[in-house]
Amino acid sequence: MKERVFSAIQPTGIIHLGNYLGAVKQWVQTQKHTDCIFCIANTHAITIRQNPQTLHATTYNLAAILLACGIDTEQATLFIQSSIDAHTALAWILECHLSMGELSRMTQFKDKSQKHPKNINAGLFNYPALMAADILLYDVDSVPVGDDQRQHVELARDVAIRFNHEYGETFKIPKAVFPTLTARVMSLTDPSKKMSKSDDNPNSMITILDSPETVRAKLKKATTDSLGQIAFNPEQKGVYNLLTIYQSLTGYNTESILGEFEGKGYGTLKERVGEAIIAEIAPIGERYAVLSKNMQYVQKILQEGARKANEIASVRYTLAKERVGLV
Ligand code: TYM
């Protein structure tokens, strides 16, 4: 039996370099040798107010972007979260096995509550239970994510262990896996913060559909420091972020990168990082341009994905439901 992998991404805005290097690129690599299930987490997205038409459109667009990034549905299953009711149904059962204390410790809940003080809704609080349901429905071995999802996957493990202990073996215990270099890609304008879709400053992130001119312009504006030294020094947050992005995209080792930039300034570093990003994302943009004109094809892929995912999810949900005594 192949190892099974599950991960998901929210359809809020176009995906950025952090999503790509932290998660999606790992997914594309792992689908070749594992049984992969990838989900567009649109149900999670409504924990923040969304414009319904926009959410509807970005959900399908994200599917086209993921296919353009190289998700291959001959090898992997891709579906939309809201097309399978077992996700929210299992989330309810899991919520009844998670404490308020555990949920209130989640840093994402604290961050998002601060950012949206007028809409601290119960869904935002229960968000990790839905995420645990996503994972536990699929008998998953591993969950490739960026570092900001570490705490949520940990909680999914905790609730699965608790449930199994109380009701007998029901869920497989998953483990989170992170990319070695880019588990936390930082903002280009404020490298003390992670690159984030909800950042109001468009220069803080490279989106996967940025044109070469936009990438170059954003890199030029990237924050560095006044030391003028190109070294893998985590204290030099901006430079370190650019170097790790460069290393992850090129695959060059540390010595050869340091050799390449010896005696060079930040201008050269920004230029080379920009070109490496363009080389990676330009073909994605081209494939997206074709796919986005063929949304019927994308929708068919998603329907087929939902059919396959539902077969797996309904087995695990039915068992969990029986275990807690629900008729
Ligand atoms: P989301 O949509 O915020 O992000 C999708 C993936 O991108 C990663 N990521 C980053 N990685 C590195 N550097 C960054 N700056 C960066 N920003 C985002 C995230 O860690 C994630 O892997 N709750 C999840 C979606 C989700 C999910 C799941 C994930 C729903 N159910 C089940 C795994 C398993 C989220 O909001 O990701």
Side-chain angles (χ1 to χ4, degrees):
M1 275 276 277
K2 272 192 197 169
E3 187 177 312
R4 179 164 301 148
V5 169
F6 178 94
S7 202
I9 180 166
Q10 290 195 65
T12 41
I14 297 170
I15 71 174
H16 56 60
L17 199 64
N19 300 130
Y20 180 72
L21 294 178
V24 178
K25 197 171 178 186
Q26 294 193 78
W27 302 357
V28 172
Q29 283 157 354
T30 195
Q31 69 185 351
K32 298 185 186 105
H33 53 269
T34 55
D35 171 15
C36 285
I37 303 175
F38 301 124
C39 167
I40 296 176
N42 60 339
T43 311
H44 273 109
I46 62 167
T47 52
I48 306 292
R49 275 291 174 280
Q50 306 287 340
N51 172 302
Q53 283 85 25
T54 310
L55 178 61
H56 195 270
T58 53
T59 301
Y60 286 122
N61 279 343
L62 177 56
I65 293 176
L66 292 174
L67 296 173
C69 286
I71 298 300
D72 175 4
T73 51
E74 295 285 312
Q75 309 180 76
T77 301
L78 177 67
F79 74 99
I80 298 173
Q81 190 180 27
S82 65
S83 56
I84 301 183
D85 291 338
H87 286 248
T88 39
L90 180 62
W92 173 253
I93 295 179
L94 298 177
E95 273 160 46
C96 297
H97 294 81
L98 282 162
S99 72
M100 303 280 285
E102 282 174 309
L103 290 168
S104 57
R105 278 195 291 279
M106 296 293 113
T107 51
Q108 185 173 299
F109 171 67
K110 292 185 209 161
D111 291 349
K112 291 201 173 166
S113 311
Q114 243 175 26
K115 219 172 165 188
H116 305 276
K118 294 206 179 101
N119 185 22
I120 307 177
N121 60 71
L124 192 62
F125 188 69
N126 290 326
Y127 182 113
L130 179 57
M131 192 165 148
D134 296 342
I135 300 168
L136 299 179
L137 280 173
Y138 295 97
D139 299 336
V140 168
D141 296 283
S142 61
V143 185
V145 280
D147 186 62
D148 61 345
Q149 298 301 320
R150 187 185 293 269
Q151 218 185 6
H152 289 161
V153 181
E154 227 7 82
L155 196 67
R157 285 171 60 89
D158 291 348
V159 74
I161 292 168
R162 183 174 309 155
F163 194 99
N164 288 352
H165 185 72
E166 200 167 329
Y167 302 98
E169 210 55 30
T170 308
F171 298 119
K172 191 161 193 170
I173 310 302
K175 67 170 189 302
V177 292
F178 307 95
T180 31
L181 292 167
T182 48
R184 201 169 185 83
V185 176
M186 308 309 274
S187 151
L188 294 181
T189 45
D190 177 359
S192 64
K193 294 193 307 197
K194 67 169 184 176
M195 188 178 284
S196 163
K197 278 187 225 158
S198 58
D199 199 315
D200 299 326
N201 183 353
N203 290 326
S204 68
M205 72 190 100
I206 302 287
T207 82
I208 214 77
L209 300 179
D210 277 347
S211 68
E213 299 72 50
T214 307
V215 173
R216 289 187 191 110
K218 287 182 178 174
L219 259 295
K220 265 200 186 129
K221 293 193 188 108
T223 301
T224 47
D225 54 50
S226 54
L227 290 177
Q229 150 192 306
I230 299 181
F232 280 87
N233 172 10
E235 301 289 307
Q236 290 178 264
K237 293 195 171 73
V239 173
Y240 187 75
N241 190 36
L242 295 179
L243 283 171
T244 46
I245 291 172
Y246 189 63
Q247 182 160 31
S248 145
L249 288 170
T250 59
Y252 299 156
N253 65 31
T254 311
E255 290 72 44
S256 78
I257 292 178
L258 292 178
E260 179 181 345
F261 289 111
E262 207 181 315
K264 306 258 181 354
Y266 292 160
T268 311
L269 173 65
K270 290 176 172 188
E271 242 170 63
R272 302 254 168 105
V273 177
E275 294 315 310
I277 294 173
I278 292 165
E280 183 88 13
I281 70 173
I284 297 176
E286 283 162 24
R287 287 193 292 270
Y288 174 75
V290 176
L291 281 160
S292 62
K293 291 198 192 81
N294 200 352
M295 287 314 263
Q296 268 178 340
Y297 163 76
V298 174
Q299 287 177 2
K300 250 186 108 181
I301 282 184
L302 292 167
Q303 269 165 16
E304 177 55 16
R307 193 194 56 76
K308 283 205 236 157
N310 194 39
E311 269 176 23
I312 306 169
S314 58
V315 174
R316 198 57 38 194
Y317 173 60
T318 306
L319 180 63
K321 194 173 155 187
E322 279 169 10
R323 286 274 153 94
V324 294
L326 293 178
V327 175

